[in-house]
Amino acid sequence: MSRARPATRPRTAGTHRSASAPPRRGYQVGHETRQAIIAVAGKVLVESGYAGLTLKRVADAAGVSVGNLNYHFRTKESLLEALIDHVLTDLSARFEVLIDRGIADGTDVPGALLQWAMDDSCSRQYTRLIRELWAMASHYEPVAAAMDRFYDLSIADAAARLAAPNDARRLESFRALVSLICIIAEGASVVFGRRGRRHPQYAAVQRLARAAIRTADGR
């Protein structure tokens, strides 16, 4: 199966630094603090749930003051939007490794993607994190919009990696296929929860799902 290689991202203007330029230490520390806060927010959400996620609790867990946290994220909603973007970035990187490896090995890439998505969706981190995010999305429109963007972009990214260059028809077909994979994986999270492979029907359902994906892919 052929695929389009994503174009190398252009360098942002002004990012090149001469050897004599002083290091942007303040920016680096601020970025590291921001990323640490986002990571801790995910852990707090998993451990304490929607009701227990507060900026103070995240600040305490991250070892920063509430004022420092507010410098980076003025509201809980803005922190959650950043958390969703962080999850999307991580997911895209894992897509890239999985799909590139499968194409290089000549394996059934959509099937492998389905298996990975089902297994990942039944992990403790995923089931708690995504369910809590959707619970918050039902109350906060910015979070709902961020979750919609999360699925739109992750599906578009996986489809673009699977499709041949300049094949718009095949790209749309792969978008539908990856959407189906997401639906099956999300359903696995609801039906099997954290039991995943330990559930007596899990392996059989996964085989049926892979067969359905092969049929949908026309193979």
Side-chain angles (χ1 to χ4, degrees), residues 93-135:
R94 294 161 73 188
F95 273 166
E96 181 175 2
V97 172
L98 177 71
I99 294 173
D100 285 356
R101 181 185 299 152
I103 291 172
D105 295 342
T107 57
D108 172 19
V109 180
L113 183 61
L114 168 72
Q115 182 172 333
W116 170 81
M118 284 185 65
D119 291 347
D120 193 63
S121 72
C122 292
S123 66
R124 178 178 184 273
Q125 176 72 13
Y126 184 94
T127 53
R128 290 295 303 274
L129 179 61
I130 297 300
R131 287 182 187 182
E132 293 297 340
L133 286 172
W134 273 121

Side-chain angles (χ1 to χ4, degrees), residues 41-55 57-58 76-77 79-80 83 127-141 143-144:
K43 293 178 181 178
V44 171
L45 185 58
V46 168
E47 294 170 359
S48 303
Y50 160 69
L53 181 72
T54 64
L55 294 183
R57 180 167 288 177
V58 173
K76 183 164 71 173
E77 290 76 17
L79 174 57
L80 286 169
L83 173 60
T127 53
R128 290 295 303 274
L129 179 61
I130 297 300
R131 287 182 187 182
E132 293 297 340
L133 286 172
W134 273 121
M136 301 194 87
S138 67
H139 297 278
Y140 301 109
E141 176 57 31
V143 178

